Amino acid sequence: IIFSCASSTSHSFSMREPWIDTDVNSKGVINLLEAVRRFNPKAKFVHLGTSTQLGKLAYRPADEKHPEFPMDVYSANKSVSEKYTLIYSKAFHLRSTVVRLSNVFGPRASIHNSEATFNNYFIGLALQEKDITVYGDGRQMRNVLYVDDAVSSLVLAAQSEKSTGEVFFAVGDEHFSVAEIAEATVKHIGAGKVVHVDWPRELKTTDIGDAILSNKKIKDFLGWTPTIDLKSGLAKSKEYYKSCLDQYLR
C-alpha cells in the first residue's frame, strides 16, 4: 500500500514559485505512478487530492462530479496529479484511488506558518494567546476534518477494492465560516481575540469563496463517516500541543 501524501501545500507559494510546485505536486506524482507501474503494479496507490481543485462552486454541496476550475497553481497541480492517478488506474490497471481532503487539523500539524492550513495556523496563534486575524468579514464557508478521521478515510480507501479508479471527498458533516472557526479556536484553545482586517490583494484574487462539500459518496461506497467534531478536535489539539508547543513553533 502506498499513500501519496507528500506535497508542497502552500497556495501563495505556488503562485510565487510555480515551477517548484509543478515539480513536486505534478511531476512528483508521475514519478511515483511510474515506479508503481514498472516495479510494483499490484500495490494499492492512495493519492491525496484537495477540495480547492474545484475553484468557485457552481452548485452546493459540491460532489465528485463538480467541474474543476482551480484558481491557483497549487490547486491546478493537485487537480492534474489526481487525473494522472486515474489515468494510470485505467490504462495500466493499477489499483489507484483518490481521496480529497479539506482543512485537516489536529496533533502534529504545522501550526507556525500562515502558509500552512489556515485552521492549524489559527490553533498555533491561540496556543500562544495571540490574536487571530481574519480577512474581510470571514463569512466564506469551510469544511474542517480532524486528523484521525482523515486517516480512517485513507485506510478504508486502501483496504477496499471498490475504491479503485474512484475519487472521494472525505470531509466533515458540518460547515463553518472562517470567522466561526476562528471564534471557536479562541474559545476552546486560547485567550486571544479575533481581529478582522482588509483582504490582501494577492490573496483576494485566489479566494474560492464558499467551499460546501458532500461526503455522501464515501459514506455510500466505503461506509466512512467523520466521528470528531470541531469542538472536540480543538480540545484534543490543545491537549496534545500543551506539552510540546515549543517544538512546533520553530
Side-chain angles (χ1 to χ4, degrees):
I1 297 171
I2 300 166
F3 293 102
S4 172
C5 304
S7 68
S8 177
T9 61
S10 170
H11 298 267
S12 56
F13 177 80
S14 77
M15 300 297 284
R16 297 193 303 270
E17 300 288 349
W19 295 118
I20 295 176
D21 191 272
T22 299
D23 283 342
V24 175
N25 290 334
S26 184
K27 293 180 182 178
V29 177
I30 281 283
N31 290 339
L32 290 174
L33 289 165
E34 274 295 289
V36 174
R37 181 179 73 86
R38 297 182 186 189
F39 306 116
N40 195 4
K42 293 183 179 181
K44 185 63 178 272
F45 186 83
V46 181
H47 179 64
L48 270 63
T50 176
S51 61
T52 63
Q53 292 172 212
L54 304 187
K56 290 186 179 295
L57 298 190
Y59 59 84
R60 309 172 187 180
D63 57 17
E64 291 79 3
K65 295 182 179 180
H66 191 285
E68 296 177 49
F69 294 96
M71 297 179 65
D72 59 75
V73 174
Y74 162 78
S75 301
N77 280 322
K78 292 297 288 184
S79 179
V80 75
S81 63
E82 171 184 295
K83 305 308 177 284
Y84 292 153
T85 301
L86 299 176
I87 289 168
Y88 271 68
S89 180
K90 185 174 183 179
F92 302 119
H93 307 289
L94 299 187
R95 299 167 58 233
S96 304
T97 187
V98 176
V99 179
R100 296 173 178 173
L101 301 174
S102 179
N103 301 312
V104 175
F105 74 102
R108 298 181 176 84
S110 175
I111 60 172
H112 73 288
N113 192 325
S114 61
E115 293 193 349
T117 308
F118 80 93
N119 48 327
N120 286 306
Y121 182 57
F122 285 0
I123 289 172
L125 292 173
L127 287 166
Q128 300 172 76
E129 300 185 357
K130 294 182 178 179
D131 294 342
I132 295 175
T133 298
V134 172
Y135 298 133
D137 58 21
R139 292 182 181 177
Q140 64 271 39
M141 302 300 290
R142 292 291 183 266
N143 193 288
V144 297
L145 186 68
Y146 189 69
V147 62
D148 288 7
D149 287 328
V151 170
S152 69
S153 73
L154 300 179
V155 171
L156 284 173
Q159 292 174 330
S160 173
E161 290 307 315
K162 291 174 64 177
S163 69
T164 297
E166 298 289 345
V167 176
F168 302 99
F169 271 123
V171 296
D173 288 327
E174 296 182 282
H175 293 79
F176 305 91
S177 71
V178 171
E180 288 173 332
I181 294 168
E183 294 287 357
T185 304
V186 168
K187 179 179 179 180
H188 298 295
I189 289 186
K193 61 181 182 295
V194 177
V195 178
H196 292 260
V197 299
D198 292 337
W199 275 92
R201 182 177 179 182
E202 67 275 12
L203 296 181
K204 182 62 174 177
T205 57
T206 58
D207 182 66
I208 62 172
D210 290 339
I212 299 175
L213 311 166
S214 170
N215 57 18
K216 183 178 186 301
K217 181 178 178 181
I218 194 170
K219 287 182 174 181
D220 292 345
F221 268 66
L222 304 182
W224 175 85
T225 191
T227 60
I228 300 173
D229 62 16
L230 177 60
K231 177 181 177 180
S232 299
L234 290 172
K236 289 176 178 289
S237 300
K238 180 178 182 179
E239 182 65 23
Y240 171 79
Y241 286 112
K242 69 180 184 181
S243 63
C244 55
L245 181 60
D246 61 321
Q247 300 297 314
Y248 283 87
L249 298 178
R250 295 179 177 181

